[in-house]
Amino acid sequence: MSKKLKRKLALILGLTISSNTNFMQIYATENNIDAHWAEDSITKIQSFGVLEEFNNTNFRPNDYVTRAEVAMYLQKLFGFSVSQSKYYDDVENVQWYANAVNAVTSQHIMNDYGTSFRPNDLATREEVIFALSQAYNLTDNQIAYFITDTADNQVSSWAKDAVEIFVQKGYIEGRSDGQINPQEPITQAEFAVLLDRLTNTFIKDAGNYSFEIVEGNLFIANGDINLKNTIIEGDAYITSGVSEGIINLDNVEIKGTLYIEGGEEILLTGLSAQNVIVNAPKSVLIKGDKSTEFQKLTVKSEVTFNGDLIIVEANIEYDGVNFENTPQKVSFSQDTSWIKVNGRTVIANNLDEDGQISNYFRYEGLSSDPFLSNSSNSIYNSSTFDLGQVSMPMPDVLGGSFDEEQFITLETKTDDTIIYYTLDGSNTTVENGIIYDGKPIHISQPTTIKAIATKFDMVTSPMMVQYYEVPDKNQVTTPRTSIQSGVYNEAQLLHLSTITEEAQIYYTLDGTTPTIDSIKYEEPIFIENTTTLKAIAVSEDMQNSHMITEKYTINKYTKKFLTNLHDDYVTNIQSTIEPFATTKKRTIFEQNNLLVVVDVMGDGTDNLSILIQGFDEDLERVLEKEIHSDLSIYGGFFEGDDGFYYIVYGEQNLEQNNHKEVVRVVQYDEKFNEISHLSINNNDILRTASQTFDINVAVPFTSSTVDIAQLDNELVIHTGKTGYVYTDGFKHQSGITFVINLEDMSLKPNTTRNASHSFDQYVKYDNGSLFRLELGDAYPRSIVLRENFDRESFVYDIGGKIGNNETGIQIGGFEISDRNYIVGVNKIDYGNILPNGTFLEESSYNREVILFLMDKVTYRVTEITLGNYLGTSQTGSAPKIISLENGEYFVMWTEFLYDKYSKEELAQTLNYVKIDGNGKALSDIRTIENVRLSDYVQPIVRNNEIVWVAGDYYYSISLE
């Protein structure tokens, strides 16, 4: 999720229920993906070429996905080709989905129903989870079991491991009681969200790539790819659709598993991978240098390894693998026996229990094939031999859930074999297995069939495992809900139903277990607050249904009109992409249980005044005061830690008079009466600064914000200014910092270095150290963080070239956690930079929303994408970051839909998420339609709510 941080999939529904197409499709609603809750995921997966139009229909996010569509999506994502396809009587070759179904099932992905695939059936959640776990090779032998009630058929046994893995890895969430609702259908949008969570980065076009850090899984779906200098936190897949070209992985660290499922030639330089699995449809050549190391290699298909790469341990599941180097340790599966190492044949019998292969190259005077001559196995003593393997036995009806008893026959494609099977769950061997006599096996209760096939002079087949679930016909079917669990911005009207005729439904809304004494369902249920619904269905002479549990979160937010407020330029498309920063002309804070709003009027004129208004709990105005200034420029407002308030003013000095006051810092008491002030001119600045280059102030605060921090009796103001005319004839803009001694309101010496040009300034103290953050467009052209005026660290280097005053980036927030410096930005696609170093006009309107986390110890930067709007008709504002208690943070941004040609704003949506100090999401990303932030106002925490003012409106969001 890498999630990329995205909206979480609402798969947390109830217990087992059979699919019913007509019932479920009546709840499909608007299918426009614009402003859809899953739009980010849908757009991302569409960019991979996966959710493309097919069957003459458009992608329908709220419709349920069919089994054929699941096959099509997986085939497009992984590029599966058809091999040994199975015949299905309901899949005709003329159908649009035929190739996808054949390709996916030939890879043993997706369950089927004997000779039927049921392509037009709605795919259930457990079917999709099972298919994805197979396709993504998600396995874990040390799974902690979180799912309950499997004995009561909540999760089909054949899907149980897959569901456990998805819960454990956080791809889906179970409730505290572990219920998942596995047999309900899944929507197209929900499927897209799952793919999004499983697929962080997808490379489909040839070229050079470098990502620094990929938070989740990475896919390579084309040849002629050069990937460099990248750390992959999840797995990496070279998909089976890659049939030709060279793939070069240079200085790549894979913390998960590298799956080589396709490719022609793969070059590895400085690659580090704990696990590598090779399972490609045709032979692959893998070349690696001595800086490349595989800790554990599993080979399931034809491959040649070449070069000095280090292979610590190799598990061979395919005969004849060719190593031109020497693995340190080799193990063979029960179905394989030999490999080639440096042109020599090595068979299983030649290796000791530790699998050490190097010992066998110490012998001298042996024949060119020493291991064959020493083997006691007569098969291998022959000069020519065929190490074929018996094909795995298959049932005529695959395992699954059924409404009635089943009669299962077994067969294998290899002639003249003997099939052995067990029905007690034990692994089948020749010694303990029952010889299959060709008669159907009667299944009248939940049963696992395990079977193998054997033949003289051939390797025993892999073991078949199939689970058959025969439900109790006397149980009422589980009730269904018309609305899925999830987060909603308004009250919901909920319908319940069951397909058992004449059954009655009983429910509770307080989280307790329902009985026949609970509320009887007779009319739709109105959900206006966050509610947990539990329901059962009951019918006479039948067993009660399983219970469903649904949780509905209703966003608690307030929007109220505030009268007499000075107009505020709230966030919009123009300010979202403004190339330069502006001073914040509105501030809010809390004083004596009042919400205080500070507004600026007449800025830049002789009539500059500050309007201060206070509002009580009912948002009635109870305080009003106006402060006038004889200076004309407003800088900023600060609520001090010492009980005083500070306002920074400025004045133009175009005549370049060193004696003229250019900045004034005024101290006020709690009733906004002036206590003291500090007047600053350029002589003061020259006297206290250690540098003399371009530090004079001609115009203060230009193209800048003004940020203020306090530590005891020290006040620091970090901003920007336009300087005097320099020797090159230009007035240069740059950052400037003032350090003030509050004991006597004097200007302290400092050794500041500032960016030129400088925008979006932030300043904070942390453990006694001062940190200044700013956005530079030239020297340096980056987001730069400076500690105590000396240490300089670059959070992000900006594309384009020096001389381009626009940066294509805005900083919206800066916070410091126990472990990280956290910076919130929006930024353009720096892949769209013109040859002259400027940006495409179109790219200026498309901005993704990002969090940068710089580790306080290593200074390593992690990038987290909150909203990726690149290439869409949307953009995101720079995110606000609000510090909460216990090291948690609230991140907010406005998402805009706009017309690409007129740039007219069409709609806006507020997005917000709670994170910890390491950037980990502690909540879903939630949305509220037609609500926006203000460019000027930093939201605050008040009465367990996030509060802000935009325009003439007061907004709040509950933290509960």
Side-chain angles (χ1 to χ4, degrees), residues 261-274:
E261 300 175 340
E264 181 180 23
E265 183 174 349
I266 300 172
L267 306 181
L268 308 174
T269 305
L271 180 130
S272 173
Q274 290 295 315

Side-chain angles (χ1 to χ4, degrees), residues 111 391 459 644 814 959:
N111 64 319
S391 64
V459 177
F644 296 108
F814 172 53
L959 287 172

Side-chain angles (χ1 to χ4, degrees), residues 68 71-73 75-76 80 82 96-105:
M72 174 64 76
Y73 295 153
Q75 197 273 338
K76 285 179 175 290
F80 295 134
V82 178
W96 59 269
Y97 50 75
N99 183 70
V101 169
N102 290 331
V104 169
T105 56

Side-chain angles (χ1 to χ4, degrees), residues 353-621:
E353 293 181 355
D354 294 330
Q356 296 295 325
I357 192 170
S358 58
N359 294 337
Y360 293 95
F361 291 97
R362 299 176 183 174
Y363 295 102
E364 296 179 356
L366 298 177
S367 66
S368 61
D369 209 351
F371 308 115
L372 289 183
S373 62
N374 289 338
S375 175
S376 60
N377 189 321
S378 61
I379 298 176
Y380 304 119
N381 280 331
S382 61
S383 57
T384 60
F385 52 90
D386 180 12
L387 291 175
Q389 183 178 23
V390 180
S391 64
M392 184 173 66
M394 291 297 294
D396 60 336
V397 177
L398 291 181
S401 297
F402 301 91
D403 296 330
E404 57 188 3
E405 59 187 359
Q406 296 294 307
F407 295 86
I408 308 301
T409 59
L410 303 177
E411 63 178 353
T412 175
K413 294 182 179 179
T414 305
D415 295 332
D416 302 323
T417 60
I418 301 175
I419 297 176
Y420 298 85
Y421 70 94
T422 59
L423 301 176
D424 59 2
S426 63
N427 289 336
T428 305
T429 66
V430 173
E431 288 75 22
N432 75 343
I434 304 169
I435 296 179
Y436 178 64
D437 59 5
K439 297 179 181 179
I441 302 170
H442 182 203
I443 304 296
S444 58
Q445 59 183 359
T447 302
T448 297
I449 303 179
K450 295 186 178 181
I452 59 173
T454 66
K455 184 179 181 180
F456 178 72
D457 286 355
M458 293 188 70
V459 177
T460 300
S461 75
M463 185 182 301
M464 177 206 83
V465 180
Q466 297 288 317
Y467 179 77
Y468 297 86
E469 191 171 47
V470 181
D472 188 345
K473 294 182 179 180
N474 294 320
Q475 186 174 31
V476 181
T477 57
T478 307
R480 298 178 174 184
T481 61
S482 60
I483 302 174
Q484 297 177 344
S485 292
V487 179
Y488 299 91
N489 297 328
E490 57 187 4
Q492 299 294 308
L493 194 63
L494 181 68
H495 299 264
L496 300 177
S497 64
T498 176
I499 45 182
T500 300
E501 296 182 0
E502 299 181 358
Q504 302 296 323
I505 298 175
Y506 296 89
Y507 68 93
T508 63
L509 299 175
D510 58 2
T512 60
T513 300
T515 67
I516 58 173
D517 296 323
S518 301
I519 307 170
K520 183 179 179 180
Y521 176 74
E522 296 179 317
E523 60 183 4
I525 305 168
F526 185 63
I527 306 292
E528 59 179 338
N529 298 304
T530 297
T531 301
T532 297
L533 167 86
K534 294 186 177 183
I536 59 171
V538 176
S539 184
E540 188 176 356
D541 298 329
M542 295 183 71
Q543 183 180 348
N544 292 351
S545 74
H546 293 297
M547 181 180 68
I548 60 166
T549 303
E550 310 283 354
K551 183 175 181 180
Y552 302 96
T553 300
I554 308 299
N555 275 327
K556 286 290 188 179
Y557 81 97
T558 301
K559 178 181 179 181
K560 293 184 178 180
F561 183 73
L562 289 177
T563 59
N564 300 315
L565 277 178
H566 178 63
D567 286 342
D568 174 29
Y569 296 98
V570 294
T571 305
N572 53 43
I573 289 295
Q574 284 69 42
S575 62
T576 299
I577 63 164
E578 187 68 35
F580 310 117
T582 58
T583 54
K584 311 300 185 186
K585 297 182 175 65
R586 171 173 284 173
T587 304
I588 65 172
F589 62 94
E590 186 174 28
Q591 180 198 75
N592 300 326
N593 295 321
L594 296 182
L595 176 70
V596 181
V597 182
V598 181
D599 273 320
V600 182
M601 298 183 291
D603 189 20
T605 72
D606 294 335
N607 298 317
L608 173 65
S609 64
I610 311 299
L611 178 63
I612 300 168
Q613 300 178 87
F615 298 84
D616 62 16
E617 293 295 329
D618 297 322
L619 297 182
E620 295 292 331
R621 187 172 62 183

Side-chain angles (χ1 to χ4, degrees), residues 86-185:
K86 181 179 178 180
Y87 169 78
Y88 294 111
D89 54 20
D90 56 357
V91 179
E92 299 179 6
N93 290 335
V94 296
Q95 296 294 339
W96 59 269
Y97 50 75
N99 183 70
V101 169
N102 290 331
V104 169
T105 56
S106 70
Q107 302 296 321
H108 305 292
I109 294 173
M110 294 190 69
N111 64 319
D112 61 13
Y113 300 88
T115 59
S116 298
F117 183 79
R118 301 182 186 176
N120 297 315
D121 280 10
L122 299 182
T124 66
R125 297 164 190 257
E126 66 179 8
E127 285 176 331
V128 168
I129 292 170
F130 181 68
L132 292 175
S133 70
Q134 293 170 311
Y136 284 81
N137 292 287
L138 298 177
T139 59
D140 191 343
N141 294 326
Q142 303 297 324
I143 298 170
Y145 283 85
F146 299 101
I147 310 301
T148 61
D149 297 329
T150 53
D152 292 334
N153 298 331
Q154 180 188 2
V155 180
S156 299
S157 293
W158 53 268
K160 182 172 182 291
D161 286 349
V163 172
E164 297 285 5
I165 291 168
F166 270 59
V167 172
Q168 184 197 44
K169 292 182 178 293
Y171 298 133
I172 60 173
E173 290 185 331
R175 297 193 195 86
S176 59
D177 61 1
Q179 296 178 351
I180 297 294
N181 195 27
Q183 295 187 16
E184 292 289 345

Side-chain angles (χ1 to χ4, degrees), residues 861-899:
V861 177
T862 301
E863 182 174 334
I864 299 174
T865 301
L866 297 176
N868 187 356
Y869 309 111
L870 302 180
T872 71
S873 295
Q874 290 180 284
T875 192
S877 69
K880 308 284 187 181
I881 308 175
I882 303 95
S883 178
L884 307 177
E885 297 178 353
N886 302 322
E888 298 176 355
Y889 300 88
F890 205 78
V891 184
M892 311 172 69
W893 71 98
T894 310
E895 175 183 293
F896 297 98
L897 177 68
Y898 67 96
D899 184 274

